[in-house]
Every structure is written in C-alpha cells, then in structure tokens.
Amino acid sequence: MDAYKKLIKSQSSRMKILKCLEWVPDSVMVKIQYRIKMGRKLPLNTPSRYTEKLQWYKIYYHNPLMIECVDKYKVRNFMTRLGMDENLIPLLGTWDSSKEINWDSLPKSFVLKTTNGSETNIFVEDKDTIDKDNVSRQLDEWLTQTNLNAGREWAYNGVTPRIVCEPIISGNDQHGCGLDDYKFFCFDGQVKMMWIDYDRFQNHKRVLFDRAGNRLDVRCTYPSPEDFEYPKQAFETLLPIAEKIAQGFPHARIDLYYVNSKPYFGEITFYSGSGYEPFDSDDYDYKLGKQFQLPKSFSNSK
C-alpha cells in the first residue's frame, strides 16, 4: 500500500483519480488496485491467499445483512437483535446534518462520527475550546462524499450518511496512548487469528496471535514490539463475544474494546484493510487464506 501512496502522494489526487475511474467494472478495478498495492497479479477466479480471497468477497458475496452491519448507526439494531445492548457504547445523538446538532445538550467531551466513511471521526475533549464551524464543515463534507467505495467494497454502497455522537470511553489503557483495539478475524463464526492495535495515534503498533493466544511471528503494516505483554483476560473475555457477533458470515473482523474490565463493541469489518495490508510472511497470507472458505450463496458475477 505504501508503494501506491508513494506513486500518488496526495490523498485528494488519489480520490479524484478513483472518482474518474468509477466506470471501470469492479472485477477489473480490484485487479488493478491489487497489482499496484500488493505488487503481484490477482487470480480473482482462483484466489488462495487471504488478501486475494477478500477481493473475491468484495465482488461476489452480496449478503444484504452486511449493509446494516457496516453502518455505524444501524449496526446497533443488529447488536440489539443479538441481545448485546450492554456491549454498545451509549448513543448521545444522531443527525442527518451538522445543522441539527444541539451543542448545548452535549457533554464536555465526546466523539463525532459519520456512518458513510472510514476514519471519519472527530474526538472532542472540550467542546468549549473547539471551532464548531470548522467541525461542522468537516462533518458535512464527509456526509457528501461521493467516492466512498474506492476499494469497491460492496457492503458500503447502501449506507445512509448521518452523524453519530458517542461518549469517549477511556480507562485502563495498558499499552500506550488511546484505547487498545482488539480485532478478531472470524471465519464461519470461529476466531482463527486476532491482533491488538495500540498506541494508535502516536506510534501505532500491532501484535498478532492465534486463537489460543500464541504470539505469531508475523507482522502486518505496523511494528510488533518483542516486549509486548499478552492481555490474557481481555482476549479471553472478548473472544466469545466476537464469535457470537460473527455467526452466519463466511468472514468478518470484529473490533472490540476492553475498558475497566467491560467489553465494548467497536465495529464489524468484512474487508480488513480492503485486502491491501500485506503480511511480512507470504506463507501466512496463504495459511490464513485456507481458513477462508469462500461461500457459494449470495454471489453475483460482475
């Protein structure tokens, strides 16, 4: 992925180019992107690696439930049906436009998110010190983005743009600045690999484990410090929650938090890194790919 960004350094320029290429069929576009970002040809019809199978998953698996699950607001309904309301971060408000926000009704600190994008979050530590006009302009700009599906990730096409507000949860962060982010890679409802992202806003690090908690000698995108202490209680608490959420999907990455011994739901991702985050071990890409049994239902040719 770094090579792709080095080729076209400006994110704005990359988005404009992708906008101009919206007419290119999805099956062709993912082959182009995979070649640029991963440095090899994509065998879309006979994928073996995990990153290759994610491209197939984007193009051919269209389960309507996935649209609800990737929507940062509607996914709350999905969690409620699972009887997992207690794992949801409380909702402070939701609006179709920044003009609807009643700033006076909000607490001192909170996070604002838009449902129709990735990394479209604004953390407000003190609402009295922020430029509300600038924040509003940024939110409305995100809401009106039209080329959100740059990676041709089908499920995001049906997301309704809106603003969601939640409290900032914080607590016993053990590994750096910001919340530790636990990600569980589930295949047919079973966790096969998991990792923790920590110190995400300063010196992002990532450590990978197998289902049993054994550390993997594999790196993916970020440094993996040798002195990392395995958060046994957190993983053992969160793993069954992740598997309950992932039931019924051929593959889903379930993101969770563990704050003051309480588990919180983060999000469901069906296309981790859009399939463009390489492992430093190509053998492991193949190994994880073997866990991913591609479905035959809900498939559409493009």
Side-chain angles (χ1 to χ4, degrees):
M1 190 179 296
D2 289 339
Y4 179 63
K5 291 182 178 180
K6 288 178 181 178
L7 185 64
I8 308 172
K9 295 183 179 180
S10 168
Q11 182 184 33
S12 175
S13 296
R14 294 197 300 269
M15 291 300 102
K16 288 178 181 177
I17 291 171
L18 290 170
K19 176 66 177 177
C20 293
L21 295 174
E22 284 183 337
W23 60 272
V24 177
D26 291 348
S27 58
V28 174
M29 194 62 191
V30 296
K31 290 179 181 179
I32 295 172
Q33 291 181 320
Y34 195 86
R35 179 73 181 192
I36 293 173
K37 297 182 180 185
M38 305 296 281
R40 57 176 176 256
K41 184 178 179 180
L42 170 65
L44 187 59
N45 294 328
T46 56
S48 298
R49 297 177 176 91
Y50 169 72
T51 54
E52 294 170 348
K53 289 186 175 182
L54 277 183
Q55 310 310 318
W56 187 101
Y57 203 41
K58 292 179 191 178
I59 304 304
Y60 299 120
Y61 188 72
H62 293 185
N63 182 343
L65 184 57
M66 295 166 76
I67 297 175
E68 179 182 31
C69 289
V70 301
D71 187 308
K72 295 173 187 174
Y73 175 67
K74 291 183 178 179
V75 70
R76 303 176 72 89
N77 296 327
F78 174 77
M79 291 290 290
T80 295
R81 294 197 300 274
L82 292 178
M84 305 182 76
D85 292 80
E86 65 180 10
N87 301 122
L88 290 170
I89 298 173
L91 183 66
L92 298 177
T94 179
W95 310 280
D96 295 326
S97 161
S98 68
K99 296 181 179 63
E100 299 176 6
I101 299 176
N102 182 350
W103 297 95
D104 293 335
S105 69
L106 297 177
K108 179 179 179 180
S109 63
F110 47 87
V111 57
L112 294 164
K113 308 176 181 179
T114 61
T115 58
N116 63 324
S118 175
E119 300 182 357
T120 54
N121 307 322
I122 298 175
F123 291 87
V124 177
E125 298 290 347
D126 183 351
K127 69 177 182 181
D128 294 328
T129 64
I130 63 169
D131 187 327
K132 296 181 179 64
D133 289 336
N134 281 340
V135 170
S136 295
R137 279 194 292 271
Q138 178 63 82
L139 291 169
D140 289 334
E141 179 181 333
W142 284 337
L143 288 174
T144 56
Q145 289 182 103
T146 57
N147 59 329
L148 297 169
N149 199 14
R152 304 300 173 104
E153 300 170 357
W154 168 84
Y156 293 94
N157 291 339
V159 173
T160 301
R162 54 166 62 91
I163 300 166
V164 171
C165 183
E166 298 172 346
I168 297 175
I169 58 172
S170 60
N172 56 338
D173 173 21
Q174 299 293 316
H175 305 106
C177 300
L179 281 177
D180 295 342
D181 196 351
Y182 298 85
K183 301 181 185 294
F184 297 83
F185 288 68
C186 302
F187 301 90
D188 293 316
Q190 289 192 328
V191 171
K192 297 297 184 180
M193 186 267 282
M194 51 196 186
W195 73 42
I196 178 171
D197 282 312
Y198 67 101
D199 203 2
R200 291 178 294 151
F201 303 113
Q202 292 192 15
N203 300 294
H204 196 153
K205 304 173 188 71
R206 175 177 291 167
V207 185
L208 283 66
F209 301 89
D210 66 15
R211 177 192 172 83
N214 300 305
R215 180 165 177 163
L216 298 172
D217 187 21
V218 179
R219 280 157 292 284
C220 182
T221 307
Y222 298 104
S224 182
E226 293 296 330
D227 60 353
F228 180 82
E229 183 177 347
Y230 177 65
K232 183 174 185 290
Q233 182 179 3
F235 272 124
E236 289 184 350
T237 300
L238 297 175
L239 189 149
I241 295 173
E243 292 192 331
K244 183 176 180 179
I245 296 171
Q247 288 297 317
F249 297 111
H251 172 50
R253 194 193 79 200
I254 310 300
D255 297 1
L256 302 169
Y257 304 111
Y258 190 67
V259 180
N260 296 323
S261 299
K262 179 175 173 59
Y264 287 98
F265 172 76
E267 65 178 0
I268 302 173
T269 302
F270 296 104
Y271 321 108
S272 183
S274 200
Y276 301 134
E277 283 192 310
F279 299 100
D280 68 345
S281 167
D282 196 40
D283 287 342
Y284 188 73
D285 203 351
Y286 278 110
K287 182 177 180 179
L288 194 61
K290 289 181 180 179
Q291 305 296 331
F292 194 169
Q293 302 301 312
L294 294 178
K296 296 180 180 179
S297 59
F298 298 109
S299 59
N300 298 309
S301 297
K302 288 191 175 183

